[in-house]
Amino acid sequence: MARKIQFDVSDEDHKEAKPDTSAHAEPASRAPSLSGMAKSLQAAAAAAIREIDTRLIDDSQFKDRIRADDDEVIELAESIRAQGQLIPILVSPMPGGRFRIVYGRRRLAALRHLGMTAKALVRDLDEDQAVIAQGQENSFRKDLSWIEKAVFAKQLLDAGKADQLVCDALNIDQKARKEGDKLTGLSRMRQVTARISSDLIEAIGPAPKTGRDRWYEISQQLEKKGFPPGNQSNLAAEIANATTRGVASDERFAFLEALLRRRTEGTSQRTATALKTRQTVSELGAVKVSPKTVLITIESKSSADLHRWIADHPNEALKALHDAQKKSEQQ
């Protein structure tokens, strides 16, 4: 079952203890009432909103947003300046009098921008409880994009968190878990973040209008076209350049789709041109091309060393050709 973290003070904690009006009540019978009042006061104190210096609040190690939008933070800061902080953030106490943000990161950034203290609810949560509270708050507000949730899930999984906790935090695959089926939602997140580098995702940004299917499709395209995560820096740089030109996040995603299509079309054109070229001769040998085969001829007289090396290393020769082909596609 999905775990939910609730922070409301129970109605019982707000009830005032009623004095025992019985004439026969023993003095000792007042002890439970005093104890209940003490517990009620403790609960009320724990539930109270506190004013905390933002310099004492540390960020969480798990980021649920790809990038903080400066304009959005400034807009929120102006709203807080005009109306005050209407919604408190949630923090968890840390050693040394410091706190860790659980949720409310944009509000915290806006308050830091203004130099104001933060109104905060303080809850003593362990790491897993904080993760669930952080994920559920954003999931229920539905303001995280699909890729932001996927990146958040990857951080949790990389930190050794269980699949069940990740699903609880993001409120995904709940029906599948109850019925013992495959966690398809989490599986898709794993596949996409394994195929697309963090730099490329960061360059694209949250892409709020781009859903799971398009992210999954482009991750497959990257893999098929020979762009593993370690070889996506050029693509990330092109997308980052689009960012500096003011291109929005969803449009940057579409730009990446166009880049991959362009490279596919370029490869097809080069292939068609190659099929029309029947034979090329050079000092090293000759290449004869037909619609079904490519024949490379190395003369032992004119290129004896190359002829000998290929004869001794045929697999390495084919791999060198394959690597050269992949490299040319990425240019």
Side-chain angles (χ1 to χ4, degrees), residues 143-276:
D143 62 349
L144 285 186
S145 67
W146 185 86
I147 193 61
E148 285 181 306
K149 292 179 182 180
V151 170
F152 184 49
K154 184 179 187 301
Q155 293 178 69
L156 298 178
L157 293 168
D158 288 348
K161 301 301 181 184
D163 289 4
Q164 290 78 7
L165 184 138
V166 178
C167 290
D168 283 342
L170 293 172
N171 195 33
I172 60 173
D173 288 331
Q174 301 301 336
K175 183 178 179 181
R177 288 175 58 193
K178 291 178 182 178
E179 298 177 356
D181 294 335
K182 182 180 179 181
L183 305 181
T184 55
L186 185 58
S187 176
R188 280 288 186 267
M189 290 178 174
R190 271 195 172 104
Q191 291 170 326
V192 169
T193 54
R195 292 169 179 162
I196 307 179
S197 70
S198 57
D199 287 343
L200 184 51
I201 292 174
E202 178 75 21
I204 295 170
K209 298 178 182 178
T210 305
R212 180 188 70 178
D213 291 346
R214 287 179 70 191
W215 277 104
Y216 181 67
E217 173 63 23
I218 208 164
S219 74
Q220 288 184 309
Q221 291 298 316
L222 286 166
E223 187 173 62
K224 290 176 182 177
K225 297 179 190 308
F227 290 98
N231 192 29
Q232 297 174 6
S233 57
N234 290 339
L235 290 172
E238 291 192 59
I239 301 299
N241 287 336
T243 305
T244 61
R245 299 195 301 270
V247 179
S249 182
D250 284 295
E251 294 172 355
R252 294 197 295 270
F253 183 91
F255 180 46
L256 176 60
E257 290 178 316
L259 283 176
L260 293 178
R261 282 196 301 271
R262 191 183 311 160
R263 298 192 182 207
T264 301
E265 292 166 359
T267 300
S268 299
Q269 291 172 359
R270 288 193 295 270
T271 301
T273 301
L275 291 178
K276 293 177 183 178

Side-chain angles (χ1 to χ4, degrees), residues 9 79 183 211 298:
V9 179
S79 174
L183 305 181
I298 306 295

